[in-house]
Amino acid sequence: MEYRIEHDSMGEIKVPADKLWAAQTQRSHENFEIGVNIETMPAEIIHAFGILKKAAAQANNVLRKEKMTDEKLCAISQACDEIIAGKLNDQFPLVVWQTGSGTQSNMNTNEVIANRGNQIADKKLLHPNDDVNMSQSSNDTFPTAMHIAAVLMLEDKLIPACETLIATFKRLEEENEGIVKSGRTHLQDATPITFSQEISGWRSSLERDVELLKRSVDPLRELALGGTAVGTGLNAPKGFGETVAEKVSALTGKSFITAPNKFHALTSKDELVFAHGAIKAVACDMMKIANDVRWLASGPRDGLGEIFIPENEPGSSIMPGKVNPTQCEAVTMVAVQVMGNDVAVGMAASQGNFELNVFMPVCIYNFLQSARLLSEAILSFNKNCAVGIKANKEKMHHNLHNSLMLVTALNPYIGYENAAKTAKKAFKDNISLKEACVELGFLTAEKFDEVFHPEQMV
């Protein structure tokens, strides 16, 4: 491999000749061989850095035109556009497990933009610190990238994924209107419910989750940029925070504002904790929905068998013909991962010491993983399972009329205790509720038929 010599404040170091990064990135790459090629900084953070560096250059061009010339702005903007488009992803090798402020990833970005910008300009035009990092610090750029990435992830991926599944459930509600089945509480038979009512519960849960996600996005719109090293704004021109927030808003099409208190913005991660709580709420509801679906589809002969779901792949290497509810299982495993990530996000956010939180990479790594996995799992579940759910009307009818809890309809006529005796006798003697009620002398056969209508109990 060919190398070139780069230098920083610590001296010279060899860097692979084909890479755009420079000395500080190379030092981090060599010093943190933890999770290499597996747990690199999320692509969403690199994308967000491209946005914020371009916005910062634009703001500096307005406020410090003597330093951020039009020529420099043009070179930085073109390099950032390539980062935003994902064309330079291979130039960001650093892992999550680095300095807790994300300093090395900020410098990785600065070096890549400077070197790529110099290639574009065909001369030594840009310096990573003096130009690309102008008016900034790692302490305010990394939390800014976190918030930008979080907003984009929630608004562009997770919320739309939820809305896709909501639309499927609405269709299923309409298609299954009027089908009456047995309800269940405590995994035991309960009074009747319509299948559309059961589906409406799934749909409404996700609708509420979307409401919570949207509420959680607003605090994330506040950006730390303008705080620089410890929140004082040292070396940043007046109005930089406000101007750069406007530029980020224009570049993303999203609404962002400068954080009113930069000391809070640098050290507290409560907005991410709050938003991840909303993500966890989605995970909890998806766990419930996926479990409901696989229980209702259990069988095909020895389970509940009340719904049919698509058969996607063989389910066993030894049992021929077996098909498993794999999409449901994928969703539930993702839900478990999200719940675990919530602990990591909370613990990381609790570690703000004095003027900086130094657990930011692990915080955003888990946050983005949760939102990404959940988005993809929901879309997969919708495409490969939910859209193909069909009611097994015959099995629903059989289970409904075999349920002992239909005896609840008799409470107004024979009382709770006599109704309980009827149910227990029917179960013990393996006879119908009607037979038990008549044998016990609580109602005549004619009166039983007059008052007993399971389909009207919903």
Side-chain angles (χ1 to χ4, degrees), residues 33-92:
E33 294 185 305
I34 309 169
V36 176
N37 299 324
I38 299 174
E39 293 168 338
T40 53
M41 192 61 64
E44 295 88 355
I45 288 293
I46 305 306
H47 177 86
F49 260 112
I51 293 170
L52 78 88
K53 291 294 179 180
K54 182 175 182 178
Q58 291 176 339
N60 281 318
N61 182 250
V62 172
L63 302 171
R64 284 181 153 178
K65 200 169 184 66
E66 75 286 356
K67 289 182 175 291
M68 180 57 66
T69 64
D70 290 345
E71 184 182 22
K72 288 182 177 181
L73 172 62
C74 182
I76 290 174
S77 295
Q78 288 186 54
C80 287
D81 286 341
E82 293 183 6
I83 291 174
I84 294 168
K87 295 179 180 179
L88 301 179
N89 282 352
D90 62 342
Q91 301 296 329
F92 296 89

Side-chain angles (χ1 to χ4, degrees), residues 125-146:
L125 176 67
L126 302 174
H127 187 280
N129 295 82
D130 295 336
D131 297 309
V132 184
N133 202 58
M134 186 186 298
S135 308
Q136 306 153 62
S137 163
S138 299
N139 296 358
D140 65 352
T141 59
F142 201 88
T144 296
M146 293 168 75

Side-chain angles (χ1 to χ4, degrees), residues 242-278:
E242 290 79 5
T243 305
V244 81
E246 292 174 4
K247 301 298 184 182
V248 171
S249 299
L251 289 171
T252 61
K254 312 286 185 185
S255 176
F256 289 96
I257 61 172
T258 191
N261 188 306
K262 301 300 189 296
F263 306 102
H264 163 82
L266 268 59
T267 193
S268 177
K269 299 292 156 268
D270 49 11
E271 300 92 347
L272 287 159
V273 173
F274 182 67
H276 197 275

Side-chain angles (χ1 to χ4, degrees), residues 3 30 79 81 86 143 161 176 183 189 206 271 277 307 342 373 442 456:
Y3 293 90
E30 294 178 5
D81 286 341
N176 293 282
D189 302 343
L206 287 178
E271 300 92 347
I307 64 173
D342 194 66
L373 287 177
F442 297 143
Q456 298 177 10

Side-chain angles (χ1 to χ4, degrees), residues 118 168 181 325 376 428 439 449:
N118 289 337
T168 295
K181 63 185 291 293
E376 293 170 358
K428 179 182 178 182
E439 285 186 23
D449 290 338

Side-chain angles (χ1 to χ4, degrees), residues 255-327:
S255 176
F256 289 96
I257 61 172
T258 191
N261 188 306
K262 301 300 189 296
F263 306 102
H264 163 82
L266 268 59
T267 193
S268 177
K269 299 292 156 268
D270 49 11
E271 300 92 347
L272 287 159
V273 173
F274 182 67
H276 197 275
I279 296 173
K280 184 173 71 169
V282 179
C284 291
D285 281 329
M286 285 305 302
M287 173 74 85
K288 183 259 195 266
I289 291 167
N291 276 332
D292 281 359
V293 169
R294 65 174 172 173
W295 274 108
L296 290 172
S298 62
R301 292 185 174 176
D302 296 336
L304 296 179
E306 291 190 345
I307 64 173
F308 301 109
I309 59 175
E311 297 183 348
N312 297 322
E313 61 273 316
S316 174
S317 61
I318 190 173
M319 294 176 279
K322 194 173 191 294
V323 180
N324 297 329
T326 51
Q327 290 294 318

Side-chain angles (χ1 to χ4, degrees), residues 366-397:
N366 282 276
F367 183 99
L368 293 173
Q369 185 193 56
S370 291
R372 186 189 316 112
L373 287 177
L374 204 48
S375 301
E376 293 170 358
I378 289 171
L379 290 176
S380 179
F381 176 76
N382 179 73
K383 175 184 176 182
N384 298 303
C385 182
V387 296
I389 290 175
K390 304 290 183 185
N392 185 342
K393 298 178 184 179
E394 293 76 15
K395 191 62 179 290
M396 287 182 177
H397 183 271

